[in-house]
Amino acid sequence: MKPQDAGNWSSSVDQRRRTRNPFDVMDVPNPNDQEVLEFATGAKLAGTSDDENAKAWTAPSDRDQYDAIEGNWSSRWNGGADPTIPGDAANKWKQGNAEVKAAGDHLYLLFDWDDGVRRGLIDAHREGTRLVGKYINLTDPKVTRPWIRLIVSNQRIDGRWTGGRLHFRR
């Protein structure tokens, strides 16, 4: 990286990979744009024991890595209907698997739903336990949404997007 590019995150892309994210999938466009910043200003997450993500909704597995934020997770989201899933509705949870990887002060969350048929990526800037960024539907890349999350623990991440919730659990 050239010294004049030191503050430019996109310039620090590994040129062999050609993406910012460590999964080598399509990058989230403009993960810190004005829409994201405005959403992050108004959206709140408290991480309380009565939050809808507080109660465990997935069974623990042997592959869980509770000592670090990186690793395998389960994911679920609501607030929008996936038109490719028969009978889906905004209030129904779409559940799947996820993996979290860190790169500097960014966390990347690659997740799926509909038995792995659909995938999404979140690129979020970490500010302590709070993450602010954007989601892209990798199956339908024209769909992007601001997203915030709160790292409650290495077993629970509460998330909110403009239409509903998007959580991660171990």
Side-chain angles (χ1 to χ4, degrees):
M1 184 166 55
K2 298 174 190 160
Q4 66 267 26
D5 295 335
N8 186 343
W9 174 251
S10 62
S11 296
S12 65
V13 171
D14 180 342
Q15 293 304 313
R16 292 167 291 172
R17 227 181 33 232
R18 300 181 193 253
T19 61
R20 287 186 313 268
N21 72 78
F23 296 107
D24 203 24
V25 297
M26 181 183 303
D27 279 321
V28 175
N30 305 311
N32 298 308
D33 64 14
Q34 189 63 34
E35 183 183 20
V36 170
L37 298 176
E38 288 172 8
F39 178 68
T41 299
K44 305 294 180 218
L45 290 166
T48 59
S49 61
D50 62 345
D51 186 272
E52 62 189 296
N53 196 33
K55 183 179 177 187
W57 45 265
T58 186
S61 73
D62 293 337
R63 67 184 186 159
D64 290 341
Q65 303 158 350
Y66 294 141
D67 60 333
I69 199 74
E70 291 186 284
N72 297 314
W73 292 76
S74 292
S75 66
R76 70 176 185 171
W77 65 274
N78 73 6
D82 185 329
T84 67
I85 302 173
D88 190 30
N91 67 335
K92 292 185 178 179
W93 288 102
K94 279 59 85 176
Q95 196 162 331
N97 297 304
E99 185 177 359
V100 175
K101 290 186 179 181
D105 61 355
H106 281 252
L107 282 185
Y108 295 90
L109 300 94
L110 181 66
F111 63 101
D112 65 38
W113 66 96
D114 193 21
D115 295 318
V117 174
R118 306 305 226 189
R119 295 189 323 157
L121 177 70
I122 296 170
D123 178 341
H125 179 262
R126 187 171 185 167
E127 301 165 356
T129 59
R130 188 163 192 246
L131 294 144
V132 175
K134 190 186 281 186
Y135 150 85
I136 185 169
N137 181 326
L138 294 169
T139 313
D140 186 3
K142 70 180 178 286
V143 178
T144 63
R145 302 287 185 268
W147 181 80
I148 65 162
R149 75 179 183 173
L150 179 67
I151 301 171
V152 178
S153 70
N154 286 340
Q155 294 84 35
R156 174 181 159 197
I157 301 171
D158 295 354
R160 181 174 303 282
W161 64 285
T162 54
R165 301 292 300 262
L166 199 164
H167 302 305
F168 296 87
R169 289 288 293 198
R170 288 185 171 157

